[in-house]
Amino acid sequence: MLYLIGLGLGDAKDITVKGLEVVRRCSRVYLEAYTSVLTVGKEALEEFYGRNLILADREEVEQKADHILKDADVSDVAFLVVGDPFGATTHSDLILRATKLGIPYHVIHNASIMSAVGCCGLQLYKFGETVSIVFWTDTWRPESFFDRVKKNRQNGMHTLCLLDIKVKEQSLENLIKGRKIYEPPRYMTVNQAAQQLLEVVQNQRARGEEPAVSEDTLCVGLARVGAEDQKVAAGTLQQMCSVDLGGPLHSLIITGGSLHPLETEMLSLFPVPERQSGSQSAERLCT
């Protein structure tokens, strides 16, 4: 059996009892290590689970899935995913591969950012299509995701923005030369996402378009949802450029405009602090 097991969002103890029982009896246990991260490292998980974990990076999962599926038809293999197993399409692909090989599978669900984002008080049924915001480069600055933000806003729906994670990435030079040298991990912050969003807004205005979002659009920044040091801050998109939410992982919500009174009251619990460290330099980037 191939088991896909959600780990939740906080630390080692967020795994379900059912998931932990399966982990402890499997012949091999893989930890998917590129679509998300926990607030604790691999060693903390191994200590709590009482098992050695095999790190599975993007290349391993997407190009060498046969390594993970090997012998899963005659023994139990676990594939651990931060959040819920269906939080990334890659994991659906793994299930399809297993099915074609005649390997049975079982999914053990857990909390994901898609549901836990309700911690800020915005009502889940009022969320539209989720978007991803990626790190821009000097030559690649995609804006296509903004069309979905616009559509959500037109329908009065909130937009959850999942922010980019760069783990075990190679520079273009190392990739071309075939050198297995990797860049340090990078995790997009709410500040960086807000800065890119404001640049999209400015670009649209320069083209004579009317952007669906402005500097004054109400947004919510979230960090380390599900962890003990979770942070939430509600304010304008401009304010999101300078709010300090600490370490990864971050998410950003662009509200859909009209809020239910309960949503408004809940967001009032999470005001942006008036003074943020480094706010002046961040504000200069956003203006």
Side-chain angles (χ1 to χ4, degrees):
M1 179 79 74
L2 171 68
Y3 288 94
L4 285 89
I5 303 173
L7 299 184
L9 296 170
D11 56 30
K13 294 182 179 180
D14 276 2
I15 191 172
T16 64
V17 173
K18 183 186 294 184
L20 184 58
E21 289 174 345
V22 171
V23 165
R24 287 178 173 170
R25 72 168 186 257
C26 282
S27 60
R28 298 194 311 279
V29 183
Y30 292 90
L31 174 62
E32 191 262 75
Y34 67 91
T35 59
S36 189
V37 294
L38 288 176
T39 56
V40 296
K42 171 175 172 282
E43 295 74 17
L45 299 181
E46 290 178 326
E47 181 179 356
F48 185 72
Y49 301 160
R51 291 298 311 274
N52 290 327
L53 304 181
I54 305 167
L55 282 180
D57 59 21
R58 183 185 296 274
E59 181 181 358
E60 183 79 15
V61 178
E62 295 184 351
Q63 300 178 27
K64 301 177 182 178
D66 53 320
H67 292 179
I68 297 171
L69 298 174
K70 183 180 179 182
D71 299 328
D73 55 338
V74 295
S75 62
D76 290 334
V77 175
F79 185 77
L80 310 184
V81 180
V82 176
D84 187 85
F86 288 117
T89 54
T90 297
H91 309 138
S92 297
D93 181 66
L94 189 62
I95 287 175
L96 292 173
R97 289 171 181 262
T99 302
K100 290 177 182 177
L101 294 171
I103 298 170
Y105 71 90
H106 184 74
V107 178
I108 300 177
H109 295 282
N110 210 320
S112 78
I113 189 62
M114 303 293 284
S115 58
V117 70
C119 68
C120 69
L122 294 177
Q123 296 166 358
L124 291 179
Y125 65 83
K126 291 182 64 178
F127 278 78
E129 187 174 357
T130 299
V131 304
S132 297
I133 300 180
V134 300
F135 281 112
W136 280 353
T137 68
D138 292 338
T139 58
W140 189 59
R141 305 167 78 81
E143 299 183 7
S144 56
F145 73 92
F146 206 73
D147 293 336
R148 282 169 284 167
V149 176
K150 180 178 180 179
K151 182 179 179 181
N152 286 343
R153 293 270 296 172
Q154 289 172 338
N155 292 327
M157 310 296 281
H158 310 311
T159 303
L160 171 60
C161 303
L162 302 178
L163 309 188
D164 203 4
I165 297 173
K166 296 292 187 185
V167 179
K168 205 174 180 182
E169 297 279 338
Q170 292 175 276
S171 68
L172 182 59
E173 180 183 357
N174 286 329
L175 187 63
I176 292 173
K177 295 183 177 180
R179 296 185 299 210
K180 296 292 185 178
I181 301 173
Y182 301 100
E183 301 294 298
R186 289 192 298 153
Y187 306 97
M188 182 179 285
T189 65
V190 163
N191 316 119
Q192 292 168 313
Q195 290 162 20
Q196 289 188 186
L197 280 166
L198 285 178
E199 189 165 332
V200 174
V201 169
Q202 293 163 3
N203 291 343
Q204 290 196 345
R205 286 176 179 155
R207 295 193 295 264
E209 302 172 17
E210 183 61 36
V213 172
S214 74
E215 292 81 355
D216 296 324
T217 296
L218 179 62
C219 296
V220 184
L222 306 101
R224 300 172 304 286
V225 172
E228 292 293 330
D229 60 346
Q230 167 181 303
K231 283 193 176 181
V232 180
T236 65
L237 180 58
Q238 185 77 50
Q239 288 176 308
M240 290 298 110
C241 289
S242 57
V243 65
D244 182 8
L245 296 181
L249 292 173
H250 289 197
S251 301
L252 178 68
I253 302 169
I254 302 171
T255 63
S258 177
L259 300 183
H260 187 279
L262 282 177
E263 291 181 305
T264 300
E265 189 173 356
M266 281 294 295
L267 290 184
S268 70
L269 301 177
F270 309 109
V272 173
E274 289 188 9
R275 295 188 64 84
Q276 291 285 345
S277 60
S279 61
Q280 291 183 345
S281 60
E283 286 171 1
R284 281 198 295 271
L285 288 171
C286 293
T287 54

